[in-house]
Amino acid sequence: MAKFELKLPKMGESVAEATLTSWLKEVGDTIEADEAVLEIATDKVDSEVPSEVDGVLVEKLFSIDDVVQVGQTIAIIETDGDAVSDAAPAAVVETPTVAKAAAEVEKTIAVAKDTVAAVESSGDRFYSPLVKNMAKAEGISQAELDAIAGTGKDGRVTKNDMLAYIDTRGTQKQAPAPAASQPQKTTKTAPKATPSPVSVNGEDEIIEMTRMGKLISHHMVASVQTSAHVQSFIEADVTNIWNWRKKVKGSFEQREGEKLTFTPIFMEAVAKAIRDFPMINISVDGDRIIKRKHINLGMAAALPDGNLIVPVIKNADQLNLVGMTKAVNDLATRSRGGKLKPDDTQGGTYTVTNVGTFGSIMGTPIINQPQVAILALGAIRKVPAVIETPDGDFIGIRMKMFLSHSYDHRVVNGALGGQFVKRVAEYLEAWDMNREI
């Protein structure tokens, strides 16, 4: 039998760690290759960690709420000897390297246990970084935290314990913390999907924000406090795009198996405009400006629970319209289904949000840090407009929309911010009705 180390995979250049939120497999369970073993959470997205091999889970090296670094071994999976490469005999399974690695793992676990024991013997309880952060965010004092009854191993306070306590905080008296010398029996609690509303007076309800909701709240406040938001607005005539899409969308879907929406068309125009004005594609680091080489477009997507997530189209300027359509549809579908990977939300350099989806004709979006600008697409409306012709001006019916550009006035002045959104409008208005796709 061979032992395989399941490690936390790399999840993007800016993601160094993740919190283990739940184990999907227990010790002794059979696991197939690509089957999810556990769930993790970063600051932007929840994800699953699949197994790379077939085998049996024989050891868990981390508990729920533990923070795991990228590259760290999370679990040990025992595989059959047949899983070893045919180029090597079965005897290599028990090589000194594997034995040494196993010994190091055992040593690490022993040290961790000794550390926890030392903390408990001093009269203090061990709290994971996630629990500490939740306590800090909710203003829970150390004394209050110590009084929460934990359901984890040795009476440890878990994320679910914290969520349950926050839901009922102030409405009931907490039981005293279990003594270190009398650890509670480990019990399993089901993950808390959506916090339940709590009525304080029989009429009004207090609804606990979700984890993602709290993160979005903190990011939005931090963005407003960081960037000097300024907006520029421009109206674009998209009649040609409207008529062209209506003409080709049926044949496109039949040929490509994809629906052709307006979003990839707008994304293509934005990517072209960024190439024309590369100083929009920057971020700020103290007193320095970082000019990004790649154009990675974030597209804000609404989730079923009302929250928002921003998956990223990498190297958007290198995609043709077919490729852009497939990328947009794939990210939108996986966003709604909760199937995004951590890397899908990393590395964005500019963001586009479609407020017109909800009927808004324009908006003033908040910049997605550390980017310096964001574009809001308003609803496309049928409006009367003046049409200039060689024979004079006429009133006609046109399809128009507003583009709302928010940008960081610390590094993007009004000229650049206005010229950029005007260029996007120019690309949209110059759409070729005879374009082949």
Side-chain angles (χ1 to χ4, degrees), residues 179-213:
S181 59
Q182 296 178 339
Q184 288 188 342
K185 181 180 178 181
T186 301
T187 58
K188 295 179 183 179
T189 55
K192 194 177 182 67
T194 305
S196 302
V198 177
S199 177
V200 292
N201 58 8
E203 297 178 356
D204 300 332
E205 290 183 348
I206 298 177
I207 302 175
E208 174 67 18
M209 293 174 67
T210 62
R211 186 185 68 85
M212 182 175 289

Side-chain angles (χ1 to χ4, degrees), residues 195-271:
S196 302
V198 177
S199 177
V200 292
N201 58 8
E203 297 178 356
D204 300 332
E205 290 183 348
I206 298 177
I207 302 175
E208 174 67 18
M209 293 174 67
T210 62
R211 186 185 68 85
M212 182 175 289
K214 291 179 182 179
L215 291 172
I216 292 174
S217 173
H218 295 156
H219 287 324
M220 294 299 97
V221 172
S223 180
V224 173
Q225 293 174 341
T226 299
S227 297
H229 282 63
V230 175
Q231 283 82 28
S232 291
F233 306 91
I234 194 167
E235 191 174 27
D237 187 329
V238 293
T239 306
N240 285 351
I241 291 176
W242 180 277
N243 293 332
W244 177 84
R245 174 182 171 272
K246 185 177 181 180
K247 179 178 69 173
V248 305
K249 66 179 183 179
S251 59
F252 179 85
E253 183 174 1
Q254 186 175 11
R255 187 185 78 227
E256 301 292 340
E258 300 278 353
K259 290 186 180 296
L260 178 61
T261 65
F262 289 104
T263 301
I265 298 173
F266 298 144
M267 288 294 194
E268 181 187 69
V270 171

Side-chain angles (χ1 to χ4, degrees), residues 115-340:
T115 302
V116 173
V119 171
E120 290 181 343
S121 64
S122 66
D124 296 327
R125 300 171 75 189
F126 174 80
Y127 299 103
S128 70
L130 177 62
V131 169
K132 290 181 179 179
N133 288 337
M134 291 176 71
K136 183 178 179 181
E138 296 296 331
I140 297 174
S141 66
Q142 186 62 49
E144 193 176 359
L145 184 61
D146 291 340
I148 298 175
T151 60
K153 185 178 180 180
D154 297 332
R156 182 175 174 184
V157 177
T158 68
K159 179 184 72 172
N160 289 325
D161 294 331
M162 291 295 292
L163 291 173
Y165 175 72
I166 292 168
D167 276 347
T168 59
R169 189 182 182 193
T171 63
Q172 64 181 8
K173 198 171 182 180
Q174 280 291 328
S181 59
Q182 296 178 339
Q184 288 188 342
K185 181 180 178 181
T186 301
T187 58
K188 295 179 183 179
T189 55
K192 194 177 182 67
T194 305
S196 302
V198 177
S199 177
V200 292
N201 58 8
E203 297 178 356
D204 300 332
E205 290 183 348
I206 298 177
I207 302 175
E208 174 67 18
M209 293 174 67
T210 62
R211 186 185 68 85
M212 182 175 289
K214 291 179 182 179
L215 291 172
I216 292 174
S217 173
H218 295 156
H219 287 324
M220 294 299 97
V221 172
S223 180
V224 173
Q225 293 174 341
T226 299
S227 297
H229 282 63
V230 175
Q231 283 82 28
S232 291
F233 306 91
I234 194 167
E235 191 174 27
D237 187 329
V238 293
T239 306
N240 285 351
I241 291 176
W242 180 277
N243 293 332
W244 177 84
R245 174 182 171 272
K246 185 177 181 180
K247 179 178 69 173
V248 305
K249 66 179 183 179
S251 59
F252 179 85
E253 183 174 1
Q254 186 175 11
R255 187 185 78 227
E256 301 292 340
E258 300 278 353
K259 290 186 180 296
L260 178 61
T261 65
F262 289 104
T263 301
I265 298 173
F266 298 144
M267 288 294 194
E268 181 187 69
V270 171
K272 288 181 179 180
I274 291 177
R275 277 206 306 246
D276 296 340
F277 297 95
M279 288 307 290
I280 284 290
N281 202 49
I282 65 174
S283 61
V284 180
D285 180 19
D287 293 331
R288 299 178 299 176
I289 293 174
I290 301 174
K291 186 179 178 183
R292 301 297 183 182
K293 176 181 178 181
H294 301 288
I295 298 176
N296 300 333
L297 295 184
M299 47 173 266
L303 300 177
D305 62 2
N307 285 319
L308 208 63
I309 198 166
V310 186
V312 177
I313 303 171
K314 306 292 175 60
N315 298 308
D317 59 318
Q318 298 178 22
L319 298 175
N320 60 19
L321 192 54
V322 174
M324 186 75 80
T325 300
K326 290 181 181 295
V328 166
N329 291 349
D330 172 60
L331 290 174
T333 300
R334 289 196 287 124
S335 295
R336 290 190 293 268
K339 299 297 183 182
L340 288 177

Side-chain angles (χ1 to χ4, degrees), residues 31-45:
I31 301 171
E32 297 181 0
D34 296 326
E35 187 176 8
V37 179
L38 64 148
E39 292 180 326
I40 58 172
T42 66
D43 63 341
K44 292 186 178 180
V45 68

